[in-house]
Structures are given as structure tokens and as C-alpha cells.
Amino acid sequence: MQFTGPFRIEKIVRSAVHLKNLDGTPADTQNVRNVYPYNRENDHILQDFDHALLDDDDRDKFEAGDMCIVDLTDDDGTPNWGLAKISAVKPQNPKEEFHLHWFGTYSKAKSLAKRAYAPAYIDSRDDLEIYKWKKTKTLEEMTMRVHRSELRFYPFSLTNKNEIPVKIVKELVTDGYAVMMISTVN
């Protein structure tokens, strides 16, 4: 009998992979050569199942201090996004409105996952956009209030190098917010 998933990996011992069903019950043990990762385009199956197990309060629970991706797509439909840190959740309706502090980067690294980000400020002397970790007297935070529907994916943290995690970058590419360029060397 052929086994099909999706399954979660419980543990790996030598070359044996212990699998469990999405509901947590033991499923099977397979050789590591027989186990393949699921495709990102089918990720909605796992997320739908996970969401069914969560209460409304636990789904995509964004809190102050979380990093988030904001959909900045214009009316013309061209996908665009921004990186921000949630500075406050509006107390009257914590599920709907968030106060954000924008982040930006000077890096031109080819991979989004290799670009270091910092908080964004406006220099009051010359109206320049500045990205740095230490605020000075002339800098004002770049902030905005957004509705929950404008937030994409789920809350996350930057890596130790202040980079967007690879998993988030992959989702940006898959959902059309970023383009992956492949080139060959002759």
C-alpha cells in the first residue's frame, strides 16, 4: 500500500522517519528516501487544517513587537509589499487595527533573505528617509495605521542579522510580491 500525506515528521532516527497524522495520531515509519516535502502551492491544505484546530483568538495573532509584511498593492494590481514592526494594537478593536513602524534597507543583495533591515525614519532637516537602529533628535519614526486585512502571512521575527527569514521570502516569491531571477553562466 502506497502511503500519502500530508504527515508531520515526529522524529528522525538514523534513516527512519517517524510520521504522524495532522491530528497528532501516529501514522507510519518510512525510510528517509521515501519521504518528500510538500509543495508550497499546496500549503493551504495544512494551514486550513491547522486553523481548524485553533480558536479565533489564536489565528494569526499579531502583537506589539511582531514583524509583519504589509500588502501595499496599488489599484493597478501590481503586487507591492512593505516590512513593518507592530508598535501597538488598537485597544478598542485589537483584531482589526494596528500601529506600525516601517523598516527599510540600503542593501542591494541579490537575495531578499540576505538584506539587513532597520527601522525607517524621516530626517526633519531635509525630509530624507533614513534606515538605522539608533534614533537621533532630528529623526521622526515612519509610522502608519493598517487594518488586519492588509497584513500578509503570519507574525515573525527578523533573524539575528536583521534579515527577513527565508520562509517568509519564499512566500513573498510564491505569492507574486517578489520575483526570483534565474540565470545561467555560459
Side-chain angles (χ1 to χ4, degrees), residues 97-115:
E97 193 168 302
F98 301 90
H99 297 261
L100 305 179
H101 182 183
W102 292 107
F103 273 55
T105 185
Y106 293 114
S107 174
K108 301 293 182 202
K110 290 180 182 177
S111 172
L112 281 177
K114 299 291 183 195
R115 296 180 183 179

Side-chain angles (χ1 to χ4, degrees), residues 170-185:
K170 286 180 181 178
E171 291 185 16
L172 284 168
V173 170
T174 301
D175 292 350
Y177 288 101
V179 177
M180 180 171 49
M181 303 285 288
I182 300 173
S183 63
T184 59
V185 178

Side-chain angles (χ1 to χ4, degrees), residues 133-144:
W133 285 98
K134 294 183 180 179
K135 183 179 176 183
T136 62
K137 292 179 183 178
T138 62
L139 299 180
E140 297 175 22
E141 291 182 356
M142 288 181 61
T143 61
M144 183 179 191

Side-chain angles (χ1 to χ4, degrees), residues 41-104:
E41 54 271 6
N42 297 329
D43 194 37
H44 66 279
I45 296 169
L46 290 174
Q47 290 199 8
D48 289 346
F49 185 85
D50 286 342
H51 282 287
L53 296 176
L54 298 174
D55 295 335
D56 284 340
D57 292 339
D58 293 336
R59 280 192 197 123
D60 300 329
K61 189 173 185 180
F62 289 90
E63 297 176 346
D66 288 337
M67 297 301 294
C68 61
I69 299 293
V70 181
D71 184 3
L72 301 174
T73 302
D74 291 332
D75 294 334
D76 66 358
T78 305
N80 196 6
W81 61 277
L83 176 67
K85 185 175 194 173
I86 297 174
S87 54
V89 178
K90 192 169 180 180
Q92 292 87 348
N93 196 353
K95 293 183 182 179
E96 297 300 324
E97 193 168 302
F98 301 90
H99 297 261
L100 305 179
H101 182 183
W102 292 107
F103 273 55

Side-chain angles (χ1 to χ4, degrees), residues 22 28 76 98-99 118 130 152 155 161-162 165 175 182:
L22 295 179
D28 198 2
D76 66 358
F98 301 90
H99 297 261
I130 308 287
R152 295 293 173 255
K161 295 180 180 179
N162 299 316
D175 292 350
I182 300 173

Side-chain angles (χ1 to χ4, degrees), residues 113-177:
K114 299 291 183 195
R115 296 180 183 179
Y117 286 82
Y121 299 95
I122 294 288
D123 190 333
S124 60
R125 292 177 294 184
D126 48 15
D127 283 338
L128 290 177
E129 202 170 301
I130 308 287
Y131 310 122
K132 62 190 290 183
W133 285 98
K134 294 183 180 179
K135 183 179 176 183
T136 62
K137 292 179 183 178
T138 62
L139 299 180
E140 297 175 22
E141 291 182 356
M142 288 181 61
T143 61
M144 183 179 191
R145 290 193 308 195
V146 298
H147 187 269
R148 169 63 184 95
S149 63
E150 297 174 76
L151 301 181
R152 295 293 173 255
F153 314 125
Y154 45 83
F156 62 93
S157 297
L158 295 178
T159 66
N160 292 339
K161 295 180 180 179
N162 299 316
E163 299 166 345
I164 298 175
V166 173
K167 186 173 184 178
I168 299 294
V169 172
K170 286 180 181 178
E171 291 185 16
L172 284 168
V173 170
T174 301
D175 292 350
Y177 288 101

